[in-house]
Amino acid sequence: MVNVFQKKVLMLALYAGEIMMKSGAEVYRVEDTMSRICKSCRIDNVEVFATPTGIFISLDKGGDEDDTQTYIKRISGINTDLRKISDVNHFSRQFTTTDLSVDRGMEILKDIEGKKGYSLPLRVAGAIMVSAAFCLIMGGQPLDCCVAMVSGSLCYLFSRLLKRVDVNSFVTGFCSCALASFIAILAASSIDGTNFDPIIIGAIMLFVPGVALTNSIRDFLSGDMLSGVARLMEAILTAVSLAAGAGVVIKIYDLLGGALL
């Protein structure tokens, strides 16, 4: 049977894995962190299995007749927060190399989870710079970049509004890119010297699932085929929703004869 101390360690490892998975960490990193936390407390017969939608951790004492204790944590609402991943990594190294108590470790993890992200104005500023930069890379002129800055900020704020009312990521991406296309076409139709193609691309790049695609490849390379396929499908479906949102508006624009005003 698992004693009270072992159960606390398992809960600590499970909590650390939950924070990392919800923040967009790779599966192998989550499993390795959880295993190291357990083994640092002399819990050797532990098995960890993580997927993008759930974490499983089990423990026994190694005997043939021992009861196996298994704990499951459902994962939902994955976002990208590299700072939290870094903080949990730092905590795991601190926990495994010092005499940090399990209770204190749980308090540290709660503080990490409770940390707020960057402020909204700073995020909007980042969206403005990203949109302008990609618009310029794609051949946009200074006037196009100015429109892309406005489009990127409005689309990002719109996506945050949709997430606040619990709209899923695929619908959010579709609607945000549709708005980006509408703004770009409206600007191109009313302002001489603007081209809507680089403006649309600049705004869409805010929602491209680059992290999910990168993590899927890293999961494949580390042998986690199930998680790699899951993340790859997530990236593909997200990309399809972005393309569909922009494509629908452009198609409507063409059906109207290329005129909105």
Side-chain angles (χ1 to χ4, degrees):
M1 295 296 293
V2 177
N3 57 42
V4 175
F5 175 74
Q6 291 174 329
K7 183 176 180 180
K8 286 185 176 182
V9 175
L10 290 180
M11 292 296 100
L12 179 70
L14 192 61
Y15 193 25
E18 177 188 1
I19 296 173
M20 296 184 72
M21 189 63 74
K22 285 185 175 181
S23 300
E26 307 92 324
V27 166
Y28 77 88
R29 189 186 302 275
V30 174
E31 293 178 345
D32 181 69
T33 299
M34 295 175 64
S35 298
R36 288 179 181 274
I37 290 175
C38 293
K39 291 179 179 180
S40 68
C41 296
R42 298 181 181 179
I43 302 177
D44 297 322
N45 298 305
V46 62
E47 292 291 340
V48 180
F49 179 70
T51 70
T53 56
I55 300 175
F56 305 79
I57 184 170
S58 63
L59 169 69
D60 60 37
K61 294 185 178 181
D64 294 335
E65 299 181 356
D66 289 336
D67 294 331
T68 301
Q69 299 291 321
T70 302
Y71 298 90
I72 303 173
K73 184 64 179 180
R74 171 72 172 171
I75 303 298
S76 59
I78 296 178
N79 295 307
T80 301
D81 194 331
L82 300 181
R83 184 169 60 176
K84 286 186 178 181
I85 297 174
S86 177
D87 289 343
V88 175
N89 278 333
H90 176 73
F91 160 77
S92 66
R93 289 191 292 268
Q94 181 184 10
F95 185 82
T96 56
T97 57
T98 64
D99 57 352
L100 191 68
S101 67
V102 177
D103 293 334
R104 177 56 184 161
M106 188 64 74
E107 294 176 359
I108 294 175
L109 288 180
K110 289 180 180 179
D111 291 338
I112 293 175
E113 186 183 31
K115 285 183 178 179
K116 295 183 178 179
Y118 295 107
S119 63
L120 183 60
L122 186 59
R123 294 186 182 189
V124 173
I128 290 173
M129 290 187 291
V130 169
S131 300
F134 277 103
C135 179
L136 186 63
I137 291 172
M138 294 301 168
Q141 301 301 315
L143 187 58
D144 297 330
C145 292
C146 293
V147 177
M149 294 169 65
V150 176
S151 176
S153 61
L154 292 178
C155 291
Y156 180 78
L157 290 172
F158 182 61
S159 69
R160 298 300 301 176
L161 176 62
L162 293 178
K163 288 183 179 181
R164 187 178 294 273
V165 295
D166 293 331
V167 177
N168 66 68
S169 59
F170 304 108
V171 177
T172 297
F174 178 90
C175 296
S176 299
C177 289
L179 177 62
S181 298
F182 177 78
I183 294 174
I185 293 174
L186 183 63
S189 301
S190 57
I191 303 175
D192 293 334
T194 56
N195 183 8
F196 64 79
D197 288 336
I199 298 173
I200 293 175
I201 294 173
I204 286 180
M205 291 304 295
L206 295 172
F207 308 100
V208 171
V211 174
L213 182 60
T214 301
N215 285 347
S216 71
I217 296 174
R218 297 189 68 174
D219 286 338
F220 277 127
L221 294 177
S222 62
D224 296 311
M225 299 301 175
L226 178 62
S227 299
V229 170
R231 291 188 187 275
L232 180 60
M233 289 305 301
E234 176 190 0
I236 291 175
L237 291 176
T238 301
V240 169
S241 70
L242 303 184
V248 166
V249 175
I250 294 175
K251 184 63 177 179
I252 294 175
Y253 174 70
D254 289 337
L255 293 176
L256 292 176
L260 291 180
L261 299 177

